[in-house]
Amino acid sequence: ARGRATPDAPRLAYVGKYSASKGLPQLLDAIERVAVERPDVTLHVAGSGAGDEADRLATRMHAMAPRVAMHGALPQADLAALLRTCRVGVLPSFYEGVPLVLVEAFACRCRLVATALPGVVGALSPHLGGALELVEPPPMAGIDVPDDVGLPAFVRRLGDALVVALRKPPLGDPAVERPAALAPFTWDAVFRRVESVWTARAVGA
């Protein structure tokens, strides 16, 4: 579907790999919790994966239909169209740099829910303000492997953050609200930062 969904439609979007390191199993658990308060909630998954782990996640998502809708890997234009129909973009990953998928979702008028990773907190949170709900990550057993003991609490925090985001009003007109927040992430701004790094290295060489 293209265009906006109805303002109250509790549609969530996840864009990424079918992977445990992306927090997808915990997101599916959290969706089941959210459905207690919002039985009409739907999660729209854009992405793909390979291997046994991805196959298990795909099987689970198929079993959760129609609450979970799988769209596969989408071209950029189709992904933007999907995001524009959703209220909230969610990235429960356990390891990321600066996840530009959150910027893309925000540009499509999605509120955001994301794990409070350093790149999200340091690079994105100051620009996104109240549009972003941060979720404390669980204790980690490895760089992108959570300690199983902390996962139930993480699922609860993630579900609570999704409910909070859905209770908030939809974001307004992107022509008015987006440019100032997204300015640090335009191609021109990114190029200027890269150029300044290279210039500084050339001077110091």
XYZ file of all heavy atoms in Angstrom, residues 20-22 53 93-95 138-148 151:
143
model
N 19.347 -12.748 14.845
C 19.242 -12.577 16.293
C 20.032 -11.363 16.761
O 19.642 -10.699 17.721
C 19.733 -13.835 17.003
N 21.151 -11.047 16.097
C 21.951 -9.899 16.517
C 21.231 -8.580 16.287
O 21.574 -7.564 16.899
C 23.297 -9.886 15.784
O 23.126 -9.639 14.406
N 20.229 -8.583 15.414
C 19.413 -7.394 15.182
C 18.250 -7.285 16.162
O 17.443 -6.359 16.092
C 18.858 -7.407 13.753
C 19.923 -7.287 12.681
C 20.525 -5.905 12.657
C 21.494 -5.744 11.506
N 22.090 -4.379 11.470
N 19.317 -19.778 11.034
C 18.741 -18.767 11.926
C 17.679 -17.954 11.205
O 16.575 -17.749 11.731
C 19.846 -17.853 12.439
C 19.368 -16.754 13.367
C 20.526 -15.886 13.847
O 20.877 -14.910 13.149
O 21.094 -16.206 14.904
N 18.351 -3.635 17.608
C 19.639 -4.282 17.381
C 20.523 -4.245 18.623
O 20.443 -3.334 19.445
C 20.352 -3.587 16.219
O 21.575 -4.206 15.946
N 21.415 -5.238 18.716
C 22.374 -5.298 19.820
C 23.737 -4.725 19.449
O 24.602 -4.579 20.303
C 22.539 -6.746 20.292
C 21.254 -7.335 20.810
C 20.712 -8.469 20.224
C 20.581 -6.744 21.869
C 19.526 -9.004 20.688
C 19.386 -7.273 22.339
C 18.857 -8.409 21.745
N 23.918 -4.391 18.156
C 25.185 -3.799 17.731
C 24.943 -3.036 16.438
O 24.400 -3.592 15.478
C 26.247 -4.872 17.497
C 27.576 -4.315 17.036
C 28.464 -3.759 17.953
C 27.926 -4.330 15.690
C 29.685 -3.238 17.535
C 29.144 -3.817 15.271
C 30.014 -3.265 16.190
O 31.212 -2.739 15.771
N 20.229 -5.113 26.918
C 20.518 -6.087 27.973
C 22.023 -6.183 28.184
O 22.812 -5.722 27.345
C 19.967 -7.389 27.396
C 20.136 -7.221 25.920
C 19.878 -5.766 25.640
N 22.477 -6.783 29.288
C 23.906 -7.094 29.424
C 24.352 -7.980 28.262
O 23.584 -8.812 27.776
C 23.981 -7.844 30.756
C 22.736 -7.450 31.493
C 21.686 -7.232 30.453
N 25.573 -7.774 27.815
C 26.056 -8.489 26.635
C 27.075 -9.566 27.003
O 27.934 -9.365 27.861
C 26.680 -7.508 25.648
C 25.723 -6.392 25.197
S 24.271 -7.019 24.320
C 25.040 -7.632 22.816
N 26.971 -10.704 26.324
C 27.943 -11.781 26.487
C 29.044 -11.687 25.434
O 30.093 -12.305 25.560
C 27.244 -13.137 26.380
N 28.805 -10.928 24.374
C 29.766 -10.703 23.301
C 29.422 -9.416 22.605
O 28.477 -8.714 23.000
N 30.137 -9.071 21.536
C 29.948 -7.775 20.901
C 28.523 -7.585 20.374
O 27.992 -6.476 20.386
C 30.987 -7.565 19.773
C 30.959 -6.120 19.291
C 30.750 -8.544 18.634
C 32.101 -5.762 18.386
N 27.895 -8.655 19.893
C 26.519 -8.545 19.418
C 25.663 -9.706 19.924
O 24.627 -10.032 19.346
C 26.465 -8.474 17.900
C 27.039 -9.716 17.213
O 27.566 -10.594 17.928
O 26.957 -9.800 15.976
N 26.102 -10.306 21.036
C 25.396 -11.458 21.616
C 24.939 -11.101 23.024
O 25.767 -10.905 23.924
C 26.305 -12.704 21.671
C 25.554 -13.878 22.294
C 26.812 -13.053 20.281
N 23.627 -10.983 23.247
C 23.147 -10.632 24.581
C 23.221 -11.809 25.541
O 23.167 -12.971 25.144
C 21.687 -10.236 24.324
C 21.303 -11.034 23.125
C 22.538 -11.135 22.273
N 23.352 -11.487 26.811
C 23.262 -12.494 27.866
C 21.801 -12.912 27.997
O 20.913 -12.074 28.181
C 23.767 -11.886 29.178
C 23.883 -12.924 30.292
O 23.059 -13.858 30.321
O 24.778 -12.781 31.135
N 21.531 -14.192 27.880
C 20.149 -14.684 27.895
C 19.398 -14.253 29.145
O 18.172 -14.050 29.105
C 20.127 -16.210 27.791
C 20.540 -16.710 26.412
O 20.553 -15.898 25.468
O 20.861 -17.915 26.286
N 17.400 -11.016 28.688
C 16.495 -10.844 27.562
C 15.029 -10.631 27.955
O 14.342 -9.810 27.334
C 16.623 -12.025 26.601
C 17.919 -12.032 25.782
C 17.984 -13.266 24.897
C 18.041 -10.765 24.955
